[in-house]
Amino acid sequence: MNNSSPQRTVTSQREQLNFTTKLAYGAGELGGAIPNNILVFFVLFFFTNVAGLNASLAGSIILVGKAWDAFNDPLIGWLSDKTRSPLGRRYPWMLIGAIPLAISFFLLWFIPPTANQWQLFAYYTILFIIYYAAVSAVWVPYSTLGAELTQSYNERTNLTSFKSSFAIGGSIFALILAQVILDIVEAPQSYLYLGAISGFISLLAVYLCVWGTYKRYKIIQNEREKIQQAPSEPILKQIKIALSNKPFLYVIGIYLCSWLGTQVTAAILPYYVVDWMKLPKIHFTQMALAVQGTALILMPFWSFMGQKFGKKAIYCMGIPGTIIAQAGFFFLQPGQTILMYILAVMAGIGISVAYIAPWAMLPDVVDLDELNTGQRREGIFYGFVVQLQKFGIAAALFLVGKTLDWSGLIPTVASQAPPVQPDSALWAIRLIIGPLPTLILIIGLVIAYFYPITQAKHEEIVLKLKESRE
């Protein structure tokens, strides 16, 4: 006890992050938060109700892109770990990858001049493959910065809260931007404008992040490079080493359940609001804003609580609110609009900690791996988690698209009046927004309960790392 307190003081003084670095790191999250949120909230609806694609094909587009991308994220993580350049290991990937990310996202909202379902399927599938590859090139290196800018347990929670605040703020901005553009400009041109503006903002955010964090990154990496070597094992062996890290498997489970549960809800939400609740489209964006706004407001609270009680504790405190809200959506009836918004606010309570906890846990897992192996392989670990993020989006959109197709959902195009959906489709919409994410989030809560790295355990890991380096 007497030895650990001075150690914490030294660590906090030496590794204290300044506000500018935190702000720049958080701003980088806009590069993914804006296009990804527009993607998950609007792309399936765009495919089926604007471009006129069959719901099953629409859901399959994302899954095909994801199948090609299966090993892309760990591969880029491995390559970025081995990259040597004047800008370091991560920044060249971010600077180059941001360009095709912005361009491919813009082209996703263009409708080719053809009514052939398979030609549309081919066009959007190719673009999704390019888009996901660009996302990997940017987001795996960007995400690793959370472990490379500081080694302090509480600083990482605080840094993650900045990242998460910008993630939620980016989601809110994307929804407001979408609502404004979709109200002012007629479809399908409105979606094209939305893609162009979002892609440009994404590019700027990535470049701002590089500019604002580079100085701090070099300071930390210069210290580490004196005592470390890059992992030299082949990628498959490094993947095996990463998967043998038991706390990492817990983080994978927590993150996958959190992301899959929320993305399923986001993908089905426009159908739920318009087709089941019989409300105008504007209520869809307002519902999403209620969820994300609540999550953003609570972000400083959960960051404080995380530093006081730990990352696992805040996850177990916050997620039950979202579980109750998800179950409640199933029982809502048309006309219960106020209750719908109350449940949206409840859902935002858990969404807030779902953004913070898994990302704040991940750097601690990387430290444990360094203690066990003597090497730092942030790229591999973060590659897996970025892979899970994209898998969550792809699986959610595929699952929703397939289920809606099987249930008899009637697709349409922008120039046609909205159809009256059959009872089977309405029943499927309610199941997807209620029981399905509820079950997924409960599983994630159980996994989080058994997560083993506490603050005391992490301080022990850091102390041993310092001793081994000295």
Side-chain angles (χ1 to χ4, degrees):
M1 188 69 178
N2 293 333
N3 291 332
S4 60
S5 296
Q7 183 62 45
R8 287 196 297 269
T9 303
V10 171
T11 300
S12 62
Q13 290 175 347
R14 190 184 69 182
E15 296 202 358
Q16 186 74 29
L17 285 166
N18 61 48
F19 180 77
T20 303
T21 302
K22 294 177 184 177
L23 194 64
Y25 176 68
E29 181 68 18
L30 294 177
I34 292 176
N36 280 343
N37 276 280
I38 289 176
L39 193 74
V40 74
F41 279 114
F42 293 101
V43 75
L44 191 61
F45 192 81
F46 169 78
F47 283 160
T48 60
N49 288 41
V50 180
L53 261 174
N54 172 274
S56 181
L57 283 179
S60 299
I61 288 170
I62 297 96
L63 193 68
V64 171
K66 194 74 211 108
W68 174 87
D69 202 32
F71 297 102
N72 203 36
D73 296 311
L75 176 62
I76 288 179
W78 177 69
L79 290 173
S80 69
D81 280 340
K82 298 173 73 67
T83 297
R84 293 294 178 268
S85 79
L87 292 176
R89 297 186 292 174
R90 317 298 178 185
Y91 292 121
W93 291 89
M94 296 170 62
L95 293 172
I96 296 172
I99 298 172
L101 188 157
I103 294 173
S104 61
F105 185 77
F106 163 67
L107 293 176
L108 274 173
W109 306 96
F110 174 76
I111 303 177
T114 178
N116 184 283
Q117 293 282 301
W118 289 107
Q119 289 177 356
L120 290 172
F121 176 81
Y123 172 79
Y124 290 118
T125 298
I126 291 171
L127 278 174
F128 258 104
I129 289 173
I130 297 172
Y131 173 75
Y132 273 141
V135 169
S136 296
V138 173
W139 238 247
V140 173
Y142 164 74
S143 299
T144 63
L145 294 178
E148 296 184 333
L149 294 176
T150 180
Q151 201 172 20
S152 166
Y153 182 88
N154 286 330
E155 277 292 330
R156 284 172 172 174
T157 301
N158 187 247
L159 185 64
T160 303
S161 72
F162 272 78
K163 177 180 184 291
S164 301
S165 295
F166 273 94
I168 298 174
S171 175
I172 293 173
F173 175 80
L175 291 168
I176 294 174
L177 179 66
Q179 182 170 325
V180 170
I181 293 177
L182 295 178
D183 285 345
I184 294 175
V185 184
E186 292 292 329
Q189 288 82 7
S190 55
Y191 289 93
L192 200 60
Y193 293 160
L194 182 61
I197 295 171
S198 301
F200 181 69
I201 294 173
S202 176
L203 179 68
L204 289 181
V206 173
Y207 278 70
L208 176 62
C209 175
V210 172
W211 173 80
T213 61
Y214 179 72
K215 182 178 179 181
R216 170 69 182 188
Y217 174 83
K218 288 300 294 182
I219 292 173
I220 298 298
Q221 293 311 304
N222 285 340
E223 293 179 1
R224 286 176 172 168
E225 286 174 0
K226 295 175 183 178
I227 52 177
Q228 292 176 184
Q229 295 180 345
S232 58
E233 299 93 344
I235 183 172
L236 292 180
K237 184 176 180 181
Q238 291 202 43
I239 290 174
K240 183 178 179 181
I241 292 171
L243 293 178
S244 66
N245 187 316
K246 290 185 179 180
F248 179 55
L249 299 181
Y250 282 98
V251 174
I252 287 177
I254 295 167
Y255 189 80
L256 180 59
C257 290
S258 302
W259 196 253
L260 185 57
T262 56
Q263 297 310 300
V264 165
T265 303
I268 199 63
L269 189 59
Y271 300 96
Y272 180 78
V273 171
V274 173
D275 294 318
W276 173 247
M277 297 299 290
K278 310 298 182 186
L279 294 170
K281 290 181 182 178
I282 191 172
H283 283 274
F284 154 61
T285 52
Q286 290 176 351
M287 270 283 288
L289 287 172
V291 175
Q292 300 287 13
T294 302
L296 182 60
I297 291 170
L298 289 175
M299 192 65 66
F301 169 76
W302 288 123
S303 176
F304 169 78
M305 295 293 285
Q307 295 176 59
K308 187 175 181 63
F309 297 106
K311 303 160 188 178
K312 176 173 73 172
I314 61 169
Y315 190 87
C316 294
M317 292 177 195
I319 285 296
T322 303
I323 292 173
I324 294 171
Q326 295 288 165
F329 283 132
F330 176 78
F331 297 101
L332 278 186
Q333 298 297 315
Q336 296 179 317
T337 307
I338 295 177
L339 185 56
M340 181 183 74
Y341 280 101
I342 292 174
L343 291 177
V345 171
M346 289 182 60
I349 296 173
I351 297 297
S352 188
V353 297
Y355 274 101
I356 294 179
W359 285 109
M361 292 172 176
L362 191 54
D364 304 338
V365 170
V366 176
D367 288 341
L368 178 62
D369 176 67
E370 183 187 357
L371 180 63
N372 292 335
T373 67
Q375 296 177 331
R376 290 192 71 84
R377 59 188 94 245
E378 293 98 333
I380 290 291
F381 285 99
Y382 278 84
F384 265 107
V385 176
V386 172
Q387 175 81 355
L388 287 176
Q389 186 179 35
K390 291 193 292 186
F391 174 80
I393 294 175
L397 294 173
F398 174 76
L399 179 64
V400 171
K402 278 292 186 182
T403 304
L404 291 177
D405 184 47
W406 292 335
S407 68
L409 182 83
I410 303 172
T412 186
V413 295
S415 59
Q416 298 177 355
V420 177
Q421 299 295 347
D423 290 341
S424 57
L426 297 177
W427 181 253
I429 289 170
R430 294 174 65 203
L431 287 175
I432 294 171
I433 203 170
L436 180 60
T438 299
L439 178 61
I440 294 172
L441 290 174
I442 289 174
I443 295 172
L445 185 62
V446 173
I447 296 172
Y449 179 79
F450 292 100
Y451 176 71
I453 300 182
T454 62
Q455 181 171 359
K457 177 66 174 177
H458 181 258
E459 288 175 356
E460 180 184 338
I461 292 170
V462 171
L463 184 59
K464 290 180 179 179
L465 282 174
K466 293 181 186 300
E467 291 174 349
S468 65
R469 291 168 181 173
E470 291 170 359

